[in-house]
Each structure stands twice: as C-alpha cells, then as structure tokens.
Amino acid sequence: MDADKRSAAKNTVTVTVDRAIGTCHPEYPDMRYPINYGFIKGIMAPDGEEQDAYIIGINIPVKQFTGRVIAVVHRYDDKEEKWVVAPENQTFSMDHIKKEIHFQEQYFDSEVIMLDTWKDTVYKMFTKVSLPEQQT
C-alpha cells in the first residue's frame, strides 16, 4: 500500500479543481459538470495520473477544496477509482452520492463504496479484502 494513499485515507485531502461547477468536459462539450471535480496532488492513481475526486456539498465553483474522503467510486471497466470528498461536518447517503456523480458515472460500470470508518477506508480502498467479522 502506497504511504501517500494511506495517509490521505486517514486525513483530510486537498482537491485542486480543474473542472468547476458549470464547466464543460474537455472532450465532450455537451457534458457540463454539476459538481466540482479535480485531482489530489501527489497521490497517483492506477492510470498514472493524479487521483481524481468528486467534491460534493459545495455548490459554488471553487479552485481548491479541503475535505475528507467519504466514498470511493470503483469502476469495473476502467483502471482508476474516483474519490468522493465532502466537507468535514457533512454526511451524505449513498443515494445522494450516486445522484451527484451520475452525470459521469452513467457511462461506466461502477460501484460506490462508502467509507464508514478510517479503518475500513484503508482496507476497502487499497487492499481490496473483506474485513473480518467483529466479535460481539
């Protein structure tokens, strides 16, 4: 597991926005971004580019945003995963996240993985193993 990713999963991350709300996709001008979208500097994704992230909970265009990773969008038909970043003090349901990212994820076979705890974050995002059942 990459140390930068492990650190990011445990803390807040800063997203550099390169596609703000209302802007068009660079290759598909008919697709407008209804949410801010960008990348996390220094965290490399499997496609060789910096880690992409959707930002939810911020409804104005921004250039940069610091928040926490609340979910991962795993694409079964693509090399990369997208992170979902939200303000520290806000929570969102899986249905809300799916609605926010549908504009782009509708073109992929993807799954939203909610990150309930930071322990789960590390396991689900980077090791792809199931957590053992907890003893009660």
Side-chain angles (χ1 to χ4, degrees), residues 74-93:
H74 176 72
R75 290 181 173 174
Y76 293 100
D77 52 355
D78 197 8
K79 290 182 184 180
E80 62 183 315
E81 295 179 326
K82 306 292 185 183
W83 291 2
V84 179
V85 179
E88 287 282 342
N89 60 348
Q90 293 184 20
T91 59
F92 297 91
S93 69

Side-chain angles (χ1 to χ4, degrees), residues 29-80:
D30 291 341
M31 183 192 330
R32 287 198 176 274
Y33 281 79
I35 59 176
N36 291 294
Y37 178 87
F39 59 92
I40 301 163
K41 288 183 181 179
I43 305 292
M44 300 309 289
D47 66 352
E49 299 290 328
E50 290 175 304
Q51 178 63 52
D52 291 331
Y54 295 111
I55 300 170
I56 64 172
I58 302 297
N59 299 318
I60 59 171
V62 296
K63 293 181 186 244
Q64 194 171 62
F65 174 74
T66 299
R68 65 184 175 91
V69 180
I70 62 165
V72 173
V73 180
H74 176 72
R75 290 181 173 174
Y76 293 100
D77 52 355
D78 197 8
K79 290 182 184 180
E80 62 183 315

Side-chain angles (χ1 to χ4, degrees), residues 6-21:
R6 187 169 50 245
S7 175
K10 292 180 181 178
N11 299 302
T12 58
V13 295
T14 298
V15 180
T16 300
V17 176
D18 58 356
R19 297 177 200 161
I21 291 174

Side-chain angles (χ1 to χ4, degrees), residues 56 70-71 84 93-101 114:
I56 64 172
I70 62 165
V84 179
S93 69
M94 182 182 297
D95 286 341
H96 182 86
I97 293 170
K98 286 179 179 179
K99 181 180 170 188
E100 292 286 320
I101 65 175
M114 300 296 291

